[in-house]
Amino acid sequence: MIGALSIQQTKELFAYLAEQFAKNKAFLTEIDSAIGDGDHGIGMALGFARAAEVLAEKDCETVNDVFHHAGMAMLGSMGGASGVIFGTMFMGGAKRTGPFGQLDLEALTALFSSSLEAIKQRGKAELGDKTMIDAYEPAVCALRQCCERAQTLLEGLQVAEEKAREGMEQTKAYQAKFGRAKSLGERAVGHQDAGATSVWLIFRSMREWVERIGG
């Protein structure tokens, strides 16, 4: 069992994320079509595919470099609000923390804690607004608690994945305060948020990748 990913393994993590979002493109599009523009799955698959392409060509010295290049690639390829938000998820903490020479639970917690604050400052969304924050904030809080208990990267991701799933499920009960879904009012209730679903998929995929390489 390993406790951390090397720089190369972290780059390969994004290739795995690209595979998973390509597989789930139709699923995300179906969710987004119910209350949104219907293009979320296409955008996320494109963004992670571009991130994997860029990282395959880049020499990275730190985990921060990996996250920064991935976030920039997503921002540049996805466009719209999702490109900004999910690009910030990866590059928002890269400049403010570290540098980290490996991706262990401490590094991931620091990077995602910082990017959570950056996303909230930029998007102004809070818990209960039916956005990706409803899944991301509980997941990041879970990472912090696991880090304080000196748990492993895999243990942290397992708990974060579950908290993200719970947050995603809870968005079904909320009315939306942002995007096209906002205009639907109570008609948006009963549908889960596509962004929150992507956050859950990210943590699920990260946990699967760490398990795959023996984390």
Side-chain angles (χ1 to χ4, degrees):
M1 179 182 290
I2 63 173
L5 304 185
S6 67
I7 301 298
Q8 181 59 34
Q9 289 169 331
T10 305
K11 292 171 68 174
E12 292 168 356
L13 163 66
F14 280 91
Y16 185 71
L17 282 163
E19 291 178 12
Q20 298 311 303
F21 273 85
K23 290 180 180 178
N24 286 282
K25 181 167 63 175
F27 167 60
L28 289 171
T29 296
E30 180 181 353
I31 291 172
D32 193 37
S33 296
I35 56 174
D37 296 328
D39 59 355
H40 184 75
I42 297 169
M44 293 300 294
L46 179 64
F48 275 114
R50 182 58 185 152
E53 291 173 357
V54 168
L55 289 173
E57 300 171 352
K58 292 284 187 181
D59 291 325
C60 298
E61 296 182 354
T62 66
V63 170
N64 306 60
D65 291 340
V66 177
F67 273 46
H68 174 74
H69 290 309
M72 287 293 292
M74 296 178 73
L75 177 63
S77 60
M78 293 171 63
S82 290
V84 174
I85 296 299
F86 283 93
T88 301
M89 182 175 178
F90 292 105
M91 66 182 187
K95 290 183 178 179
R96 305 180 183 190
T97 59
F100 299 107
Q102 60 182 6
L103 185 64
D104 56 13
L105 183 57
E106 180 182 1
L108 183 64
T109 301
L111 288 162
F112 277 177
S113 291
S114 185
S115 71
L116 172 63
E117 295 307 314
I119 291 169
K120 292 181 74 171
Q121 289 174 8
R122 175 165 289 184
K124 309 301 182 187
E126 298 290 342
L127 288 172
D129 287 348
K130 203 178 184 80
T131 72
M132 61 89 76
I133 291 293
D134 291 313
Y136 194 38
E137 185 163 328
V140 172
C141 289
L143 290 177
R144 290 173 183 154
Q145 292 170 356
C146 290
C147 197
E148 290 172 357
R149 298 174 189 140
Q151 292 181 270
T152 66
L153 176 61
L154 178 58
E155 289 169 338
L157 286 170
Q158 288 170 334
V159 179
E161 175 190 352
E162 178 58 21
K163 292 298 181 183
R165 189 195 65 77
E166 291 176 0
M168 173 192 72
E169 291 291 337
Q170 288 173 359
T171 63
K172 295 176 181 176
Y174 303 146
Q175 291 189 41
K177 295 185 179 179
F178 295 90
R180 180 176 177 272
K182 178 182 177 181
S183 65
L184 299 179
E186 292 186 355
R187 286 180 291 165
V189 175
H191 299 280
Q192 69 194 64
D193 178 69
T197 306
S198 280
V199 170
W200 167 66
L201 281 171
I202 288 169
F203 279 103
R204 188 185 75 173
S205 301
M206 293 180 78
R207 186 266 303 162
E208 289 176 347
W209 175 249
V210 173
E211 283 184 341
R212 176 174 292 196
I213 63 173

